[in-house]
Amino acid sequence: MNLLPAQDLRDLGVELFQACGAPAAEAALVADHLVEASLMGIDSHGVVRYVMYVEHCLDGTIQPGAAARVVDGRGQVAVVDCGMNFGQVGAQHMTDLVREDARAGGIAFAVSLRCHHVGRLGAWPQKLAEAGLFGLSVANSHRHGHFVVPWGGREGRLATNPLAWAAPTGGDPLLLDMSTSMVPEGRIRTALHAGERLPEGRILSGDGRPTVDPADFYGPGEGPPAGAILPFGGDLGYRGFGLGLLVEVLGATIAGEPLAEPDDGRYINGFGILAIDPAALSGSGDRFRELTGELRDYVRGSAPAPGFDEVLMPGECEFRTLRERRREGIPLPGESRRLIAEVAEQVGVRVPW
Amino acid sequence: MNLLPAQDLRDLGVELFQACGAPAAEAALVADHLVEASLMGIDSHGVVRYVMYVEHCLDGTIQPGAAARVVDGRGQVAVVDCGMNFGQVGAQHMTDLVREDARAGGIAFAVSLRCHHVGRLGAWPQKLAEAGLFGLSVANSHRHGHFVVPWGGREGRLATNPLAWAAPTGGDPLLLDMSTSMVPEGRIRTALHAGERLPEGRILSGDGRPTVDPADFYGPGEGPPAGAILPFGGDLGYRGFGLGLLVEVLGATIAGEPLAEPDDGRYINGFGILAIDPAALSGSGDRFRELTGELRDYVRGSAPAPGFDEVLMPGECEFRTLRERRREGIPLPGESRRLIAEVAEQVGVRVPW
């Protein structure tokens, strides 16, 4: 597979989103975000999303240029109406807001209404960590994505509800970005197309049986999947279920948002973000960075387990991939190129391949 | 096993802690906390802790009556020196603080210094939920308790680092209280004494091999355990590791607290607690309760999976046990009674059996 330079993919994204009516700065923000996800190896949330985003601009789901506005909240908490602009525009607005509010008052939280797809969830606390703050974010999804069963249940009631947190160190931030389910739906689809089986304990078939066959998850028809995804944790899956509910509460319920009906178009992600300024607690952000660095060195100092070469901190693998792909380029499978070229043609943009 | 009335155990606790020099209100607070844990079926954090707490009063580790004081922080965040009083006294002080600060400014966070054992971690966000707020708490432990390996490592670098969250509903709150490791150390000891094996994938022996034998964890000698506990998540254990680090950062690092040396006596738990007032976000706490209730009903409406009778929400099992044990009494094994009677005799208190 030929590798594409990040800059070419970034330029393409900017052109595509501008062709959809996005102001230049917003087009750049969204393209930068998706290219960075691809650089970090999180391809499911990378430039392949150009396709869905352009389609949603064309069908009116995304409203390029719509302003994000604080519509409720007082003190250090806010409800932000993201106006169904690109989710990254709303999430960036909310991240800036909680960063400044946390600098002023030590801590701040914001939760979205009418937010489209926020992309790579870890990007947002990462931005806070790059500014010296602690950050935590969550994202739920509208009911159309409720593939994940509650612990002890066989019918989907939550989305894969990821959570992410980040903290600054002297070097790369600590950055965890995880689903509260055993597997994101995108990975099941990839396995289906590749004719592969999933590891045990990930999914249920339409009749509630454990299975490793992606086809059992999707079922025979064209409609929504017949099966379900298990909550994170295996035989301790009540914990993943409880974390999934935490995401639901902080990403949607606390905004006063009732459970969405399937496909009512009110939002794609319910997004919540928390910032804490360590300098407000112990007098100095440098002190926090120093201590997280000590923690990292202590933890990495553990001898590796059999089968491992070293202990990696959360996010370390992604930051290594980022540096490698910046040098060498981003792999983009033929099918992704074809789909991107298709939507590019619809908006009159030429692809660089 | 004879059941003991909660009231008798509560009276015993109050007498014990007063005999150790605790003011009456603090003795009652600690006894109430431990009896409630026993009532909820969390026996490892219940009245059996009378033993350790009295011993720590007698050896000077616990300083009954010491004041908790805010020593750092500004705006909505605070560092609280708990003075090595009973951890429950410090945690209650911090919980009251974040509740009132969150009511004023929407959100608040506090982290401890010099805090003894905070007991059942879920008790603190539960108190916030009972006051209509969202609560989240974390607790790390000093390095003596670093049994949990990082993902890919074979040497302990974190404690079992639990986290807990709660939210009000019309009925019992939603309440998750979980370890970020596969198993708490107390459960391994129970299995050792009972001659039982653990499920697969919980622990490592001293030479880093997976094992199900608790004796492999403790090793042959009298010193600290030779083996280690795996982070929560099985083959996705990098997630549990990342959650354990989250607890470390929010429970200790962010207070400006360096990694404790083993047994330096600076603290038992590093405790962090976050409160958000939903009424500050969407205008009304009743609205939040209504929506969490809707969420609960929707989730519980899932058909049960094979092998389950119903879907239970986080905490539901514990609240059922609470009601049952309030009626019928608390089971207390002979060995626990003997140990409690021993410390009671040391401080001149008669036990009710």
Side-chain angles (χ1 to χ4, degrees), chain B residues 115-182:
Chain B
C115 185
H116 197 267
H117 187 249
V118 298
R120 178 174 70 90
L121 187 65
W124 311 110
Q126 183 187 334
K127 280 175 198 279
L128 292 173
E130 286 163 359
L133 282 76
F134 168 87
L136 183 145
S137 63
V138 298
N140 89 331
S141 285
H142 57 102
R143 273 174 72 167
H144 187 63
H146 282 194
F147 305 131
V148 181
V149 294
W151 177 247
R154 55 178 272 192
E155 292 172 329
R157 285 297 185 273
L158 294 172
T160 55
N161 283 14
L163 67 83
W165 72 270
T169 72
D172 292 328
L174 305 178
L175 172 59
L176 176 72
D177 186 347
M178 62 170 265
S179 171
T180 58
S181 71
M182 287 302 282

Side-chain angles (χ1 to χ4, degrees), chain B residues 15-309:
Chain B
E15 270 198 84
L16 284 173
F17 300 137
Q18 284 196 278
C20 292
E26 295 182 3
L29 188 162
V30 180
D32 280 336
H33 173 101
L34 295 176
V35 169
E36 187 173 68
S38 287
L39 284 169
M40 292 175 86
I42 305 165
D43 295 304
S44 60
H45 286 62
V47 295
V48 69
R49 296 283 176 162
Y50 286 173
V51 178
M52 165 188 163
Y53 288 11
V54 170
E55 284 171 351
H56 279 197
C57 286
L58 294 176
D59 73 14
T61 308
I62 293 177
Q63 303 279 320
R69 299 178 300 125
V70 174
V71 291
D72 212 337
R74 58 181 169 76
Q76 305 295 111
V77 298
V79 180
V80 178
D81 182 341
C82 297
M84 289 307 279
N85 199 333
F86 295 94
Q88 286 84 354
V89 175
Q92 180 67 56
H93 184 89
M94 291 168 64
T95 303
D96 291 343
L97 179 75
V98 296
R99 186 190 63 238
E100 293 312 306
D101 282 356
R103 280 185 175 149
I107 187 168
F109 174 75
V111 60
S112 70
L113 296 177
R114 302 207 303 137
C115 185
H116 197 267
H117 187 249
V118 298
R120 178 174 70 90
L121 187 65
W124 311 110
Q126 183 187 334
K127 280 175 198 279
L128 292 173
E130 286 163 359
L133 282 76
F134 168 87
L136 183 145
S137 63
V138 298
N140 89 331
S141 285
H142 57 102
R143 273 174 72 167
H144 187 63
H146 282 194
F147 305 131
V148 181
V149 294
W151 177 247
R154 55 178 272 192
E155 292 172 329
R157 285 297 185 273
L158 294 172
T160 55
N161 283 14
L163 67 83
W165 72 270
T169 72
D172 292 328
L174 305 178
L175 172 59
L176 176 72
D177 186 347
M178 62 170 265
S179 171
T180 58
S181 71
M182 287 302 282
V183 59
E185 190 251 330
R187 195 146 341 138
I188 309 175
R189 191 170 291 279
T190 311
L192 180 76
H193 292 169
E196 288 166 3
R197 289 169 172 269
L198 292 167
E200 302 260 348
R202 266 32 174 189
I203 55 171
L204 300 177
S205 64
D207 56 357
R209 281 180 306 101
T211 179
V212 295
D213 184 350
D216 290 340
F217 172 76
Y218 288 105
E222 279 295 298
I229 306 176
L230 289 163
F232 168 51
D235 63 343
L236 303 172
Y238 62 90
R239 296 183 187 174
F241 166 49
L243 292 172
L245 279 171
L246 170 66
V247 169
E248 193 68 25
V249 166
L250 285 185
T253 321
I254 208 162
E257 182 77 345
L259 281 165
E261 291 306 307
D263 299 315
D264 68 359
R266 275 192 290 133
Y267 65 101
I268 301 285
N269 285 153
F271 174 67
I273 186 154
L274 172 78
I276 304 178
D277 184 2
L281 279 156
S282 55
S284 144
D286 290 344
R287 175 74 178 146
F288 184 58
R289 273 197 197 84
E290 190 186 306
L291 291 176
T292 53
E294 272 179 24
L295 175 63
R296 175 198 59 206
D297 296 344
Y298 168 64
V299 169
R300 279 205 296 218
S302 159
F308 289 82
D309 293 329

